[in-house]
Each structure stands twice: as structure tokens, then as C-alpha cells.
Amino acid sequence: MKHVIAAYRSTPLSLESDSLALVALYQSTGGPDWKNNDNWLTGPLHTWYGLEFGVFLRHINLRDNNLSGVIPPEIGELVTLERLDLSGNQLSGEIPSGIGNLSGLVYLNLSHNGLSGPLPDEMVGLESLRELQLAMNSLAGSIPAWVGNLTHLNWLQANYNNFSGSIPPELGLLTDLAGLVLSDNLLEGPIPSEIGGLSALGYIDLSSNPLEGPLPESFINLANLRYLLVFDCGLEGVIPVGICDLPNLEGININQNLFDLESCPAVSCLKARGLLQGTGVQQNGIDLGGECPEKYVLTLSADPPEAATLEGGGVF
């Protein structure tokens, strides 16, 4: 402990609480076994690996650094944080409720860990958040309606988890949202029509969820949409013809769904734009020569790029 005291003895008083919270983070996540723990608990605070300061602590970047264990509740004491990246580690347990105290946080990345449990309701306090990355965990429960209160959110990615229940229509309140990635969960029910009101939306992936119903007619209003992925969802009904008129559409995959005969005008239009492979119409893997059967699986162009490869690591 004397090394800890020495590390922040010369630190301004306003940063002493940060020092103690960071020590808790180090001890709770196996700090001695991190890939890089340069100067932690020994050198001056501003020299600790992965930290960035202005007047106060602004950024923590410990991604891909062999952290294990749980995120300590003391993380909520780092109230000057703007960016927190703990992705690509072996963290487990639940997201601590104290994280909701970080009202100045604009970027939170906890993806590629082993986190579990629900999203704590206290996260509604992340009122400045622009990017939320939660992919590749074991998070469960519903996607809470309070997410719609994070009105500055530009990118929401929570694929490959165990989220269940319906997609909350409150997502339609996120008018700055450019990317929505909720694929490979257990989400069910219809796609909310409110999502069609997100004029900034450029990337949407709801694939591999047990959804039902049609593509909302409101999707024809997504003028900035570049990629639409809703394959393997059990969707049916009519493909809105207006999807073909979206000016920025580059990639679409609605394979492994059941659509009605009335969808055929949309098929022809998408094919004319070069978004369909071959005839684009298959049933049980057999090419039907372009004829429109009563029910069919629609095979579209090659998958769009992974969300993580898009410019800005997620933000358009």
C-alpha cells in the first residue's frame, strides 16, 4: 500500500479520489497479469499506462490488455471521464450500477468480454453518451426503454448477447442514431415502426433474432440508410417497394425470411439496382429462375461490412 500512497502523494487533491478508484480497478481486474501495466501503483498518476489527462482524467483505454475479474463499483467515482474502453478482455460479472454516475462519458466500449446480467437502470444517467459498444458478451434481460433517453447516442451496438423481449419503440427517440446493431440476440415481436423515423440512420442490423411481422413501411423514410441486414428473422408480408428508392442504399440482406407474392415489385427493383444475386429468388436453396412463388426466401447481395470496420470504428 505504501507504493500506492507514493504514487498519488504528489497528485493534486482533486485527483486523489481518481487514484483510489483506479487502484480498485487494477486490483479487481488482475492488474499484475495485464499485458501492459507500466507505472501502475508505482509511478506518478499521469504516467500510468492507458490513461489520458487534461486538467483531470479524461480517457481510460485498456482494451485487449488481459483484464480479468469484475469491473469494480468504484468506476463510478471517475466522474470526469469522457471515454472508457475495456473491450477485448476477460471481464465477467454485471456492469456496476455506479457507471451511471459518469454523466460526461461520450464513449463506452465493453465489448468482447464475458459480462452478464441486465443493463443497470442507472445507465440512464449517461446523458452525454454518443457511442455504446456492448457486443460479444452474455448480457441478458430486455433492452430497456430508457435507452431512448440517451438522446445524443450516435451508435448502439449490442450484438451477440442474450437480450430478449421486444425491441423498444423508444429507440425512435434517438434522432442522432447512425448505427443500430442488435443482431444475434433473442429479440422477438415486430420491428417497431418508430425506427423508420430515424433520418440519420445509416446502418441497421437486426439479423438472427426470432422477430415476426413485416418490414415496417416507415423504412422507406430512411433516406441515409446504407446497409440493411435483417436476415434469419422469420419476417413475412410485403417488402415495401419504396425501399428501392432509398438513394444511399449500398447493401441489403433479407435472406431466410418468408415474404408474400406482393413483394415481387420490390424484388424487381432491387435486382435492377444490382443488389440481387442472380435471379435473387430461391426456395429451399433451389433457383426458381426468377419466378415469384407464393412464399420464398430472398437472397440478396453479399453481406455489408462488419459494423466494427465502418469508418470511425462505428460512428458515421
Side-chain angles (χ1 to χ4, degrees):
M1 187 66 180
K2 63 182 180 181
H3 295 297
V4 177
I5 295 172
Y8 69 77
R9 178 169 286 161
S10 60
T11 300
L13 184 61
S14 58
L15 293 180
E16 285 194 13
S17 61
D18 286 353
S19 303
L20 294 173
L22 291 166
V23 170
L25 176 64
Y26 181 86
Q27 294 176 336
S28 182
T29 60
D33 297 320
W34 292 359
K35 288 182 182 178
N36 191 333
N37 58 10
D38 287 354
N39 295 321
W40 277 73
L41 310 193
T42 57
L45 190 63
H46 69 275
T47 68
W48 293 11
Y49 170 78
L51 307 185
E52 181 180 321
F53 291 83
V55 177
F56 303 106
L57 178 63
R58 297 178 58 214
H59 302 168
I60 297 178
N61 183 357
L62 294 172
R63 67 182 306 163
D64 300 319
N65 202 41
N66 200 40
L67 278 67
S68 60
V70 301
I71 303 171
E74 290 87 349
I75 201 77
E77 298 173 14
L78 302 174
V79 294
T80 62
L81 269 185
E82 297 173 8
R83 296 176 64 89
L84 175 60
D85 190 343
L86 302 178
S87 63
N89 288 294
Q90 293 84 49
L91 297 171
S92 58
E94 297 188 1
I95 299 173
S97 60
I99 209 164
N101 295 332
L102 307 181
S103 59
L105 204 65
V106 298
Y107 176 89
L108 176 60
N109 192 342
L110 302 176
S111 60
H112 293 263
N113 279 290
L115 299 171
S116 59
L119 297 182
D121 288 340
E122 290 81 0
M123 286 180 68
V124 71
L126 301 178
E127 56 190 30
S128 300
L129 202 62
R130 287 181 52 80
E131 184 164 346
L132 178 58
Q133 300 268 8
L134 301 170
M136 300 291 291
N137 281 287
S138 297
L139 297 167
S142 64
I143 296 176
W146 55 252
V147 172
N149 293 333
L150 305 181
T151 54
H152 297 291
L153 205 61
N154 180 263
W155 187 269
L156 173 58
Q157 185 161 357
N159 52 318
Y160 290 101
N161 279 286
N162 296 315
F163 288 116
S164 59
S166 59
I167 299 172
E170 289 82 2
L171 292 181
L173 300 174
L174 301 177
T175 55
D176 290 339
L177 198 66
L180 177 63
V181 185
L182 301 177
S183 58
D184 295 276
N185 279 287
L186 302 171
L187 299 170
E188 57 189 9
I191 299 172
S193 61
E194 288 83 355
I195 290 176
L198 299 177
S199 59
L201 198 62
Y203 189 104
I204 181 170
D205 186 356
L206 305 177
S207 304
S208 298
N209 282 292
L211 300 171
E212 61 185 37
L215 279 178
E217 183 71 25
S218 60
F219 272 30
I220 67 175
N221 299 319
L222 297 174
N224 286 300
L225 192 65
R226 292 167 55 191
Y227 299 107
L228 172 63
L229 287 82
V230 288
F231 61 85
D232 188 25
C233 286
L235 299 175
E236 56 186 358
V238 175
I239 302 171
V241 177
I243 292 285
C244 304
D245 299 322
L246 296 177
N248 295 301
L249 195 62
E250 298 178 28
I252 180 171
N253 192 327
I254 47 179
N255 192 21
Q256 300 180 44
N257 288 289
L258 296 173
F259 292 97
D260 293 334
L261 182 64
E262 297 169 87
S263 296
C264 287
V267 174
S268 301
C269 180
L270 289 167
K271 184 177 179 181
R273 287 190 57 181
L275 291 173
L276 291 176
Q277 291 179 337
T279 63
V281 180
Q282 297 185 357
Q283 188 172 31
N284 299 322
I286 301 172
D287 192 342
L288 298 175
E291 298 178 3
C292 237
E294 193 71 21
K295 296 277 188 180
Y296 61 85
V297 174
L298 193 61
T299 304
L300 300 181
S301 59
D303 287 352
E306 291 289 333
T309 67
L310 292 174
E311 54 192 273
V315 178
F316 282 86

